[in-house]
Amino acid sequence: MRPPDFAFRPSETLEDAIEFLNSEAGSVALAGGQSLIPMMRFRLVRPSVVVDIGKIDGLDSIESCGDTLHIGALVTTSRVSQSDLVRSFSPLWAETATVIADPLVRNLGTVGGNLAHADPLNDLPAALVAARGRVVVEGANGKRVIESDDLFVGPFETSLGRGELITEVRLPGGAAGSYEKMKRAAADYGVAGVAVQLTMDGAGRVTGAGIAVTGGEQVATRAAEAEALLVGSDTDPSTIAHVASATAATVRMPGDDRGSSRYKSGLVRVLARRAVQRAAGRRAGG
């Protein structure tokens, strides 16, 4: 199916893109196009103007500054998965990027587009929430920073204002992480996923924890009770079992052709246990 007719606006600069997005009603931004184009083909969205931001300079870098990792919005998920810098600063993000869809999608899909799309089945939103990352956005009123817990409003809905674009993702370093995902086929959306990030002291006790779930009714649900159970623990088996159960209890999983709600809830419990074990093992050098 072909999409409805639309005007195409290529942008060479961020300022041009913001101007186009604000001056023309029904406009949307196009980066890698791995989510937008299929939705346009099936007429799930009908933009009157498509603003191409894929060639804007300065939005495709991966850099560290102090203890923070800066990832440009136009960086592809393939580059994230292959970056030694990302792997050293945020193992969670490096691992998450490797299991997104298939190589074609990873080679074209961008970090900013993945997050802005806010699909409950997308993986990076959970990785952002678990890592307590932030996004930098720019629009007609200037630049602002949005915390991960404030970015996702609901399925396919973010707190970005009209004409605002994500320009950068900022992730804290110095933590161990893991992403566990269950999917039916290599290129398929995941049935469920659990992102975990831990900071631990020299004695092996957890001083900070982030846990978020992919595949629930909402986007990247934070398992706050499970996080609290982890803090102060030495990730012993009993604690991990309670954390896994608390994670599953936090999230409402929709039943569909991929499995019943009960099945998915049980799956989240298993994935959470595995993700915490692997994250703790990495921190301990295991």
Side-chain angles (χ1 to χ4, degrees), residues 81 94-102 106 123 179-181 183 186 188:
S81 70
E95 184 168 274
T96 303
T98 65
V99 297
I100 293 174
D102 56 27
R106 293 194 292 271
D123 304 290
Y179 187 67
E180 286 284 342
K181 178 181 180 179
K183 58 183 180 180
D188 194 14

Side-chain angles (χ1 to χ4, degrees), residues 63-245:
E63 300 174 343
S64 62
C65 182
D67 61 354
T68 302
L69 181 67
H70 300 254
I71 303 176
L74 294 183
V75 172
T76 64
T77 52
S78 178
R79 283 186 59 201
V80 171
S81 70
Q82 298 169 11
S83 169
D84 291 336
L85 186 58
V86 175
R87 191 170 294 108
S88 64
F89 263 79
S90 182
L92 167 60
W93 263 61
E95 184 168 274
T96 303
T98 65
V99 297
I100 293 174
D102 56 27
L104 176 60
V105 171
R106 293 194 292 271
N107 287 338
L108 295 174
T110 64
V111 167
N114 188 296
L115 296 175
H117 186 51
D119 188 332
L121 294 176
N122 273 353
D123 304 290
L124 286 185
L128 182 74
V129 170
R132 286 183 166 78
R134 300 181 292 171
V135 296
V136 180
V137 304
E138 292 193 41
N141 295 323
K143 179 186 297 187
R144 64 190 180 107
V145 178
I146 304 176
E147 300 292 337
S148 58
D149 284 335
D150 299 323
L151 178 61
F152 305 108
V153 176
F156 305 102
E157 184 180 4
T158 69
S159 58
L160 294 176
R162 177 182 172 184
E164 284 190 321
L165 290 170
I166 295 175
T167 58
E168 181 183 79
V169 176
R170 296 177 181 175
L171 302 172
S178 175
Y179 187 67
E180 286 284 342
K181 178 181 180 179
M182 173 66 178
K183 58 183 180 180
R184 300 185 302 181
D188 194 14
Y189 278 110
V191 178
V194 178
V196 172
Q197 181 150 304
L198 304 177
T199 54
M200 305 176 76
D201 61 20
R205 290 195 172 273
V206 177
T207 58
I211 303 176
V213 180
T214 298
E217 292 183 350
Q218 298 301 314
V219 183
T221 305
R222 179 182 295 285
E225 181 180 342
E227 292 173 344
L229 289 172
L230 268 176
V231 175
S233 77
D234 57 1
T235 60
D236 57 279
S238 177
T239 297
I240 292 178
H242 283 97
V243 167
S245 295

